[in-house]
Amino acid sequence: MKQIANFGGSSTSTAKETISKVKTTRETVTSSTTLQDDEDFTFELKANTTYSINSNLFVSGSSACGFKWLFTVPSGANGRINATSNSSNYVSIDTDIATGFSPIDGVGLTTTAANGNYRLLGFITTTNAGTLTFQWAQKQSSATAAYIERGSTMILTEV
Amino acid sequence: MNIELREETEFHYIFDSDYGKISVGKYSEENPTGAQTLEDAANIALHCFDSAEE
């Protein structure tokens, strides 16, 4: 019998991996513009694999401090991220996943008010296994906190 | 708010608090608003939500 499709039930199928992370408590950065690793959003990736990235972040970055972010990726990996928001406080951008606007500053957002629902959609293709880590900080150093609220999620799905 | 020092890194004092992890930047020429001492960092952490727009 000729096989015309594989719906995942045969012995030749390979399970596709989904890695879901949720922030269970608020995470805060204050008086700092140095990108720091997020407490929760770090992922161990396989070599030679493409993952889709879907993230919903509840961010507070006031006009005093703004907000900036970037991903660190396994060596040789490439990908893109499209960032959108339901709030005009956070600009929409499309950027290289590991470069952002610059490798030091990442994607810096000058905001006009604190709260925004920030959505990241994109992909990463690896050549080597390694770690994908979301990093973030204040855009301008301020004693007013920037934070990502509990309930924020990041989901990677192998495609 | 209760806070407790978790660790000190090159750039941050990191506290655990009732509101989760709080990273406070250290003072430097590039970061003049950063904390100069652990006590200073604790004070910044304790008040970092005072003017945040919740």
Side-chain angles (χ1 to χ4, degrees), chain A residues 25-39 60 62-64 112-115 141-145 147 149, chain B residues 6 11-12 14 16 18-26 30-35 41 44-45 47-49 51-54:
Chain A
T25 59
R26 178 187 292 181
E27 181 171 350
T28 302
V29 172
T30 189
S31 299
S32 179
T33 60
T34 301
L35 288 167
Q36 54 100 41
D37 292 349
D38 187 272
E39 179 94 324
S60 180
S62 73
S63 55
T112 55
N115 297 316
S141 185
S142 168
T144 300
Y147 56 86
E149 192 58 277
Chain B
R6 180 196 298 187
F11 296 108
H12 297 103
I14 299 172
D16 289 310
D18 301 340
Y19 291 98
K21 176 185 172 187
I22 300 176
S23 298
V24 180
K26 288 183 173 179
E30 294 77 28
N31 189 33
T33 64
I44 291 171
H47 295 286
C48 68
F49 300 123
S51 56
E53 297 151 46
E54 299 274 353

Coordinates of all heavy atoms in Angstrom, one line a residue, chain A residues 25-39 60 62-64 112-115 141-145 147 149, chain B residues 6 11-12 14 16 18-26 30-35 41 44-45 47-49 51-54:
Chain A
T25 N 5.5 35.0 39.0 CA 5.6 36.2 39.8 C 6.1 37.3 39.0 O 6.8 37.1 38.0 CB 6.5 36.0 41.0 OG1 7.8 35.6 40.6 CG2 6.0 34.9 41.9
R26 N 5.9 38.5 39.4 CA 6.4 39.7 38.7 C 7.9 39.7 38.8 O 8.5 39.2 39.7 CB 5.9 40.9 39.4 CG 6.4 42.2 38.9 CD 6.0 43.4 39.8 NE 4.5 43.6 39.7 CZ 3.9 44.6 40.4 NH1 4.6 45.4 41.1 NH2 2.6 44.8 40.2
E27 N 8.6 40.2 37.7 CA 10.0 40.3 37.7 C 10.3 41.8 37.4 O 9.8 42.4 36.5 CB 10.7 39.4 36.7 CG 12.2 39.6 36.7 CD 12.9 38.5 35.8 OE1 12.2 37.6 35.4 OE2 14.1 38.7 35.6
T28 N 11.2 42.4 38.2 CA 11.5 43.8 38.1 C 12.9 44.2 37.9 O 13.8 43.5 38.4 CB 11.0 44.4 39.5 OG1 9.7 44.1 39.7 CG2 11.2 45.9 39.5
V29 N 13.2 45.2 37.1 CA 14.5 45.8 37.0 C 14.4 47.3 37.3 O 13.5 47.9 36.8 CB 15.1 45.6 35.6 CG1 16.4 46.4 35.4 CG2 15.3 44.1 35.3
T30 N 15.3 47.8 38.1 CA 15.2 49.2 38.5 C 16.7 49.7 38.5 O 17.6 49.0 38.8 CB 14.5 49.4 39.8 OG1 14.3 50.8 40.0 CG2 15.2 48.8 41.0
S31 N 16.8 51.0 38.1 CA 18.1 51.7 38.1 C 19.1 50.9 37.3 O 20.3 50.9 37.7 CB 18.6 51.9 39.6 OG 17.7 52.7 40.3
S32 N 18.7 50.4 36.2 CA 19.7 49.6 35.4 C 19.2 49.6 33.9 O 18.1 49.3 33.6 CB 19.8 48.2 35.9 OG 20.7 47.5 35.1
T33 N 20.2 49.8 33.0 CA 20.0 49.6 31.6 C 20.7 48.4 31.0 O 20.8 48.2 29.8 CB 20.4 50.9 30.8 OG1 21.8 51.1 31.0 CG2 19.6 52.1 31.2
T34 N 21.4 47.7 31.9 CA 22.1 46.5 31.5 C 21.2 45.3 31.3 O 20.5 44.9 32.2 CB 23.2 46.1 32.6 OG1 24.0 47.2 32.8 CG2 24.0 44.9 32.1
L35 N 21.1 44.8 30.0 CA 20.3 43.7 29.7 C 20.6 42.5 30.7 O 21.7 42.2 30.8 CB 20.5 43.3 28.3 CG 19.9 44.2 27.2 CD1 20.4 43.9 25.8 CD2 18.4 44.2 27.2
Q36 N 19.5 42.0 31.3 CA 19.7 40.8 32.2 C 18.8 39.7 31.7 O 17.8 39.9 31.1 CB 19.4 41.3 33.6 CG 18.0 41.9 33.8 CD 17.0 41.0 34.4 OE1 17.3 40.2 35.3 NE2 15.7 41.0 33.8
D37 N 19.3 38.5 32.0 CA 18.5 37.3 31.6 C 17.2 37.3 32.4 O 17.1 37.4 33.6 CB 19.2 36.0 32.0 CG 20.5 35.8 31.1 OD1 20.7 36.6 30.2 OD2 21.3 34.9 31.5
D38 N 16.1 37.0 31.6 CA 14.8 36.8 32.3 C 14.8 35.6 33.2 O 15.5 34.6 32.8 CB 13.7 36.7 31.2 CG 12.3 36.7 31.9 OD1 11.9 35.6 32.2 OD2 11.7 37.8 32.0
E39 N 14.1 35.7 34.3 CA 14.1 34.6 35.2 C 13.5 33.3 34.7 O 13.9 32.2 35.0 CB 13.3 35.0 36.5 CG 13.2 34.0 37.6 CD 14.2 34.1 38.6 OE1 15.4 34.5 38.3 OE2 13.9 33.9 39.8
S60 N 5.4 46.7 32.2 CA 5.3 48.1 32.7 C 6.6 48.7 32.5 O 7.6 48.4 33.2 CB 4.8 48.1 34.2 OG 4.7 49.4 34.6
S62 N 7.5 52.7 32.4 CA 7.0 54.0 32.4 C 7.8 55.0 31.5 O 8.8 54.6 31.0 CB 7.0 54.6 33.9 OG 8.3 54.9 34.2
S63 N 7.2 56.2 31.4 CA 7.9 57.2 30.6 C 9.3 57.5 31.2 O 10.2 57.9 30.5 CB 7.1 58.4 30.4 OG 6.8 58.9 31.7
A64 N 9.4 57.3 32.5 CA 10.7 57.5 33.2 C 11.8 56.5 32.8 O 13.0 56.9 32.6 CB 10.5 57.6 34.7
T112 N 5.3 56.4 26.6 CA 4.6 57.6 27.1 C 3.8 57.2 28.4 O 3.3 58.1 29.0 CB 3.8 58.2 26.1 OG1 2.8 57.2 25.6 CG2 4.6 58.7 24.9
A113 N 3.6 56.0 28.6 CA 2.9 55.5 29.8 C 3.3 54.1 30.1 O 4.0 53.5 29.3 CB 1.4 55.6 29.6
A114 N 3.0 53.6 31.3 CA 3.6 52.4 31.8 C 3.1 51.1 31.1 O 3.9 50.4 30.6 CB 3.5 52.3 33.3
N115 N 1.9 50.9 31.2 CA 1.4 49.5 31.0 C 1.1 49.2 29.5 O 0.5 50.1 28.8 CB 0.1 49.3 31.8 CG 0.4 49.4 33.3 OD1 1.4 48.9 33.7 ND2 -0.4 50.1 34.0
S141 N 17.9 54.5 32.7 CA 18.1 54.1 34.1 C 17.2 55.0 35.0 O 17.3 56.3 34.9 CB 19.5 54.2 34.6 OG 19.7 53.7 35.9
S142 N 16.4 54.4 35.8 CA 15.4 55.2 36.7 C 15.1 54.4 37.9 O 15.1 53.2 37.9 CB 14.1 55.5 35.9 OG 13.1 56.0 36.8
A143 N 14.8 55.1 39.0 CA 14.4 54.4 40.2 C 13.0 54.0 40.1 O 12.5 53.2 41.0 CB 14.6 55.4 41.4
T144 N 12.3 54.4 39.1 CA 10.9 53.9 38.8 C 11.0 52.5 38.1 O 11.7 52.4 37.1 CB 10.1 54.8 38.0 OG1 10.0 56.1 38.7 CG2 8.7 54.3 37.7
A145 N 10.4 51.5 38.7 CA 10.7 50.1 38.2 C 10.1 49.9 36.8 O 9.0 50.4 36.4 CB 10.0 49.2 39.2
Y147 N 8.9 46.4 34.8 CA 8.7 45.0 35.2 C 7.8 44.3 34.2 O 7.1 44.9 33.4 CB 8.0 44.9 36.6 CG 6.8 45.6 36.9 CD1 5.5 45.1 36.6 CD2 6.8 46.9 37.5 CE1 4.3 45.7 36.8 CE2 5.6 47.6 37.7 CZ 4.4 47.0 37.4 OH 3.2 47.7 37.7
E149 N 4.9 41.4 34.3 CA 3.9 40.9 35.3 C 3.7 39.4 35.2 O 4.0 38.8 34.1 CB 2.6 41.7 35.1 CG 1.6 41.5 36.2 CD 2.2 41.9 37.5 OE1 2.9 41.1 38.2 OE2 1.9 43.1 38.0
Chain B
R6 N 19.3 37.9 47.1 CA 19.5 36.6 46.6 C 21.0 36.5 46.1 O 21.6 35.5 46.4 CB 18.6 36.4 45.4 CG 18.8 35.0 44.7 CD 18.2 34.9 43.3 NE 16.8 35.1 43.3 CZ 16.1 34.9 42.2 NH1 16.7 34.5 41.1 NH2 14.8 35.1 42.2
F11 N 26.8 43.6 37.6 CA 26.0 44.8 37.3 C 24.8 45.0 38.3 O 24.2 46.1 38.2 CB 25.5 44.8 35.9 CG 26.6 44.8 34.9 CD1 26.9 43.7 34.1 CD2 27.3 45.9 34.7 CE1 27.9 43.7 33.2 CE2 28.4 46.0 33.7 CZ 28.7 44.8 33.0
H12 N 24.4 44.0 39.0 CA 23.1 44.1 39.8 C 23.3 43.6 41.2 O 24.0 42.6 41.5 CB 22.0 43.3 39.1 CG 21.7 43.8 37.7 ND1 22.1 43.2 36.6 CD2 20.9 44.9 37.3 CE1 21.6 43.9 35.5 NE2 20.9 44.9 36.0
I14 N 20.5 41.6 43.4 CA 19.3 40.9 43.0 C 18.6 40.5 44.3 O 19.2 39.7 45.2 CB 19.6 39.7 42.1 CG1 20.2 40.2 40.8 CG2 18.3 38.9 41.9 CD1 20.7 39.0 39.9
D16 N 15.0 38.9 46.3 CA 13.7 38.2 46.3 C 12.8 39.1 47.2 O 13.2 39.6 48.2 CB 13.8 36.8 46.9 CG 14.5 35.9 45.9 OD1 14.2 35.9 44.7 OD2 15.4 35.2 46.4
D18 N 8.3 40.2 48.1 CA 6.9 39.8 48.0 C 6.4 39.9 46.6 O 5.4 39.3 46.2 CB 6.0 40.7 48.9 CG 6.5 40.6 50.4 OD1 7.1 39.6 50.7 OD2 6.2 41.5 51.1
Y19 N 7.0 40.7 45.7 CA 6.6 40.9 44.4 C 7.5 40.2 43.4 O 7.6 40.5 42.2 CB 6.6 42.4 44.0 CG 5.5 43.2 44.7 CD1 5.7 43.9 45.9 CD2 4.2 43.1 44.2 CE1 4.7 44.6 46.5 CE2 3.1 43.8 44.9 CZ 3.4 44.5 46.0 OH 2.4 45.2 46.6
G20 N 8.3 39.2 43.9 CA 9.2 38.5 43.0 C 10.6 39.1 42.9 O 11.0 39.9 43.8
K21 N 11.3 38.7 41.9 CA 12.7 39.1 41.8 C 12.8 40.6 41.4 O 12.1 41.1 40.5 CB 13.3 38.2 40.6 CG 14.7 38.6 40.3 CD 15.2 37.8 39.1 CE 16.5 38.2 38.5 NZ 16.8 37.5 37.3
I22 N 13.7 41.3 42.1 CA 14.0 42.7 41.8 C 15.5 42.8 41.6 O 16.3 42.6 42.5 CB 13.5 43.6 42.9 CG1 12.0 43.5 43.2 CG2 13.8 45.1 42.6 CD1 11.5 44.3 44.4
S23 N 15.8 43.3 40.4 CA 17.3 43.5 40.1 C 17.5 45.0 40.1 O 16.9 45.8 39.4 CB 17.6 43.0 38.7 OG 17.4 41.6 38.6
V24 N 18.5 45.4 41.0 CA 18.8 46.8 41.1 C 20.2 47.1 40.5 O 21.2 46.4 40.9 CB 18.8 47.2 42.6 CG1 19.2 48.7 42.7 CG2 17.4 47.0 43.2
G25 N 20.3 48.0 39.6 CA 21.6 48.3 38.9 C 22.6 48.9 39.9 O 22.2 49.6 40.8
K26 N 23.9 48.5 39.7 CA 24.9 49.1 40.5 C 25.4 50.4 39.9 O 25.3 50.7 38.7 CB 26.1 48.1 40.5 CG 25.9 46.9 41.4 CD 27.1 46.1 41.4 CE 27.0 44.9 42.4 NZ 28.2 44.1 42.4
E30 N 28.5 55.0 33.7 CA 27.5 54.8 32.7 C 26.1 54.7 33.4 O 25.1 54.9 32.7 CB 27.7 53.5 31.9 CG 29.0 53.6 31.0 CD 30.2 53.3 31.8 OE1 30.2 52.7 32.9 OE2 31.3 53.9 31.4
N31 N 26.1 54.4 34.7 CA 24.8 54.2 35.4 C 24.8 55.0 36.7 O 24.8 54.5 37.8 CB 24.5 52.8 35.7 CG 23.1 52.5 36.2 OD1 22.2 53.2 35.8 ND2 23.0 51.5 37.0
P32 N 24.8 56.4 36.6 CA 24.9 57.2 37.8 C 23.7 57.1 38.7 O 23.8 57.5 39.9 CB 25.0 58.6 37.2 CG 24.4 58.6 35.9 CD 24.7 57.2 35.4
T33 N 22.6 56.6 38.3 CA 21.4 56.4 39.2 C 21.4 55.1 39.9 O 20.5 54.8 40.7 CB 20.1 56.5 38.4 OG1 20.0 55.5 37.5 CG2 20.0 57.9 37.7
G34 N 22.5 54.3 39.7 CA 22.6 52.9 40.3 C 22.9 53.0 41.8 O 23.3 54.1 42.3
A35 N 22.8 51.9 42.4 CA 23.1 51.8 43.9 C 24.6 51.7 44.1 O 25.3 51.0 43.5 CB 22.4 50.5 44.4
A41 N 21.0 49.8 47.6 CA 20.2 49.0 46.6 C 18.9 48.5 47.3 O 17.8 48.5 46.7 CB 21.0 47.8 46.2
I44 N 16.4 51.3 47.3 CA 15.9 51.5 45.9 C 14.8 50.4 45.6 O 13.7 50.7 45.1 CB 17.0 51.5 44.8 CG1 17.9 52.7 45.0 CG2 16.4 51.4 43.4 CD1 19.1 52.7 44.1
A45 N 15.1 49.2 46.0 CA 14.2 48.1 45.8 C 12.9 48.3 46.5 O 11.8 48.1 46.0 CB 14.8 46.8 46.1
H47 N 11.4 50.9 47.3 CA 10.6 52.1 46.8 C 10.4 52.1 45.3 O 9.9 53.1 44.8 CB 11.2 53.4 47.3 CG 11.2 53.5 48.8 ND1 10.1 53.8 49.5 CD2 12.2 53.4 49.7 CE1 10.4 53.8 50.8 NE2 11.7 53.6 51.0
C48 N 10.8 51.0 44.6 CA 10.8 51.1 43.2 C 9.4 51.1 42.6 O 9.2 51.5 41.4 CB 11.6 50.0 42.6 SG 11.0 48.3 42.8
F49 N 8.4 50.7 43.4 CA 7.0 50.7 42.8 C 6.3 52.0 43.3 O 5.1 52.1 42.9 CB 6.3 49.5 43.3 CG 6.9 48.2 42.8 CD1 7.2 47.2 43.7 CD2 7.1 48.0 41.5 CE1 7.8 46.0 43.3 CE2 7.6 46.8 41.0 CZ 8.0 45.8 41.9
S51 N 6.4 55.1 42.4 CA 5.9 55.9 41.4 C 5.6 55.2 40.1 O 5.3 55.8 39.1 CB 6.9 57.1 41.1 OG 8.1 56.5 40.8
A52 N 5.7 53.8 40.2 CA 5.3 53.0 39.0 C 3.8 53.2 38.7 O 3.0 53.2 39.7 CB 5.7 51.6 39.2
E53 N 3.5 53.2 37.5 CA 2.0 53.3 37.1 C 1.4 51.9 37.1 O 1.6 51.2 36.1 CB 1.9 54.0 35.8 CG 2.5 55.4 35.9 CD 3.0 55.9 34.5 OE1 2.3 55.7 33.5 OE2 4.1 56.5 34.5
E54 N 0.8 51.5 38.2 CA 0.3 50.1 38.3 C -0.9 49.9 37.3 O -1.6 50.8 37.1 CB -0.1 49.8 39.7 CG 1.0 50.0 40.7 CD 1.8 48.7 40.9 OE1 1.4 47.7 40.3 OE2 2.8 48.7 41.5

